[in-house]
């Protein structure tokens, strides 16, 4: 009987020993795995923390904080290229906030110029189609935006204000919607490339506008678009021309009848 007890005790000891070794091995492997995973988790956490700080600054009531947020955001994009699309979307969201023109808030004007500059630097580079971004700038007030030579999948500027816009050589690949936009100052679309869907319907052109050398895949829509200074040195895409009912009236863009 005692022999049986000793045998059971011995077997139990062996089992405990094996269990301890196995448990220790599991613990060691767990530590090793945590060590392998921790840098990635920490890095992801730091990236999220940096992004949240940028967003928080952007919503600050302090103009200096809001201005700094775009410097931080541009640095973030340089270090994390995969965040480029999110940064563009965040910047467009900021630019869609109400802003009065003529400029009344000089501090906010400086901030918005910084935001526009960030967009320009993000978009002015060649790339494959999947890296071209869409801009949602409905209702945005843009003062002297520089989109020259920018590469865009599509852009929606409807119901916005564009003061002295430079779109020279810009490439729109899917759509370009400038419906009901008020263009004031000189607007330059020279050598720009437009896709099948392009609309300037109901737009108002208050300054001088040129489309010299611009290319369109299909007819562009200027339905009900108006021209405040019909006698300015405009250049419109064929077959559109300015029609004026009287010397003091605004002009309307109408297709030329051959």
């Amino acid at each position: 009987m005692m022999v049986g007890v000793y045998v059971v005790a011995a077997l139990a000891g062996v089992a405990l020993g094996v269990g301890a070794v196995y448990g220790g091995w599991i613990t060691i492997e767990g530590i090793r795995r945590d060590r392998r995973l921790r840098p990635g988790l920490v890095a992801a956490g730091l990236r999220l923390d940096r992004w949240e700080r940028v967003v928080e600054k952007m919503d600050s009531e302090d103009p200096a904080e809001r201005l700094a947020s775009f410097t931080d955001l541009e640095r973030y994009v340089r270090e994390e290229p995969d965040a480029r699309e999110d940064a563009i979307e965040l910047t467009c969201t900021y630019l869609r906030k109400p802003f009065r023109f003529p400029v009344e808030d000089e501090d906010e004007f400086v901030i918005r110029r910084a935001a526009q500059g960030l967009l320009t630097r993000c978009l002015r580079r060649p790339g494959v189609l999947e890296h071209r971004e869409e801009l949602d700038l409905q209702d945005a007030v843009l003062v002297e935006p520089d989109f020259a030579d920018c590469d865009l999948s599509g852009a929606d500027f409807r119901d916005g204000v564009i003061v002295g816009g430079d779109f020279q050589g810009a490439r729109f690949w899917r759509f370009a919607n400038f419906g009901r936009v008020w263009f004031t100052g000189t607007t330059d679309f020279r050598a720009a490339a437009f896709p099948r869907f392009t609309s300037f319907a109901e737009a108002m052109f208050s300054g001088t506008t040129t489309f010299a050398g611009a290319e369109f895949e299909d007819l562009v829509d200027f339905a009900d678009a108006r021209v405040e200074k019909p006698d300015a040195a405009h250049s419109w895409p064929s077959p559109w021309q300015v029609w004026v009912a009287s010397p003091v009236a605004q002009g309307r863009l109408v297709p030329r009848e051959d």
Side-chain angles (χ1 to χ4, degrees):
M1 184 67 176
M2 294 299 294
V3 173
V5 172
Y6 291 136
V7 170
V8 171
L11 291 175
V14 170
L16 288 172
V18 171
V21 171
Y22 182 73
W25 178 80
I26 289 294
T27 301
I28 291 170
E29 281 302 302
I31 293 171
R32 289 173 178 168
R33 185 181 64 254
D34 288 346
R35 286 175 177 170
R36 290 194 299 270
L37 295 176
R38 192 176 297 125
L41 294 173
V42 169
L46 289 174
R47 287 194 295 269
L48 179 60
D49 184 58
R50 287 180 63 191
W51 181 266
E52 289 177 344
R53 286 202 303 271
V54 167
V55 174
E56 185 178 350
K57 277 186 175 182
M58 205 171 285
D59 290 334
S60 172
E61 295 183 1
D62 182 357
E65 287 279 299
R66 297 201 301 277
L67 181 59
S69 72
F70 288 100
T71 301
D72 295 346
L73 183 58
E74 186 161 4
R75 185 182 304 114
Y76 184 93
V77 172
R78 284 199 302 268
E79 297 171 4
E80 304 288 344
D82 290 342
R84 179 171 166 266
E85 183 177 354
D86 292 332
I88 290 173
E89 183 177 345
L90 183 63
T91 303
C92 287
T93 299
Y94 188 91
L95 289 171
R96 289 197 302 269
K97 292 180 179 181
F99 180 69
R100 296 184 66 86
F101 181 82
V103 175
E104 296 178 354
D105 185 339
E106 289 294 336
D107 287 337
E108 180 62 18
F109 176 58
V110 172
I111 296 166
R112 296 175 76 88
R113 291 298 297 271
Q116 291 176 186
L118 188 151
L119 283 183
T120 299
R121 289 184 289 276
C122 282
L123 297 167
R124 185 177 288 156
R125 67 183 186 90
V128 294
L129 184 58
E130 56 266 28
H131 291 154
R132 295 173 185 140
E133 311 297 347
E134 291 185 8
L135 295 185
D136 182 0
L137 287 166
Q138 290 189 61
D139 302 304
V141 177
L142 307 174
V143 181
E144 298 182 352
D146 181 6
F147 291 106
D149 298 317
C150 285
D151 217 8
L152 295 162
S153 174
D156 190 347
F157 295 92
R158 282 176 296 170
D159 299 300
V161 177
I162 296 179
V163 184
D166 186 357
F167 296 88
Q168 185 178 176
R171 294 172 293 278
F172 300 88
W173 292 89
R174 291 183 55 246
F175 68 92
N177 196 338
F178 293 88
R180 298 183 299 276
V181 169
W182 175 35
F183 293 94
T184 183
T186 300
T187 306
D188 190 348
F189 285 104
R190 285 178 297 166
F194 293 91
R196 184 172 300 276
F197 179 80
T198 302
S199 176
F200 290 86
E202 300 181 65
M204 165 66 85
F205 296 92
S206 295
T208 302
T209 306
T210 177
F211 285 89
E215 299 179 358
F216 297 86
E217 286 188 22
D218 207 340
L219 293 177
V220 57
D221 182 11
F222 282 99
D224 296 317
R226 292 166 295 161
V227 181
E228 190 172 16
K229 299 176 181 178
D231 57 344
H234 303 289
S235 175
W236 306 106
S238 180
W240 295 91
Q241 63 180 352
V242 179
W243 179 81
V244 186
S246 73
V248 295
Q250 293 179 349
R252 289 179 53 227
L253 284 168
V254 298
R256 182 183 298 106
E257 295 182 2
D258 294 331

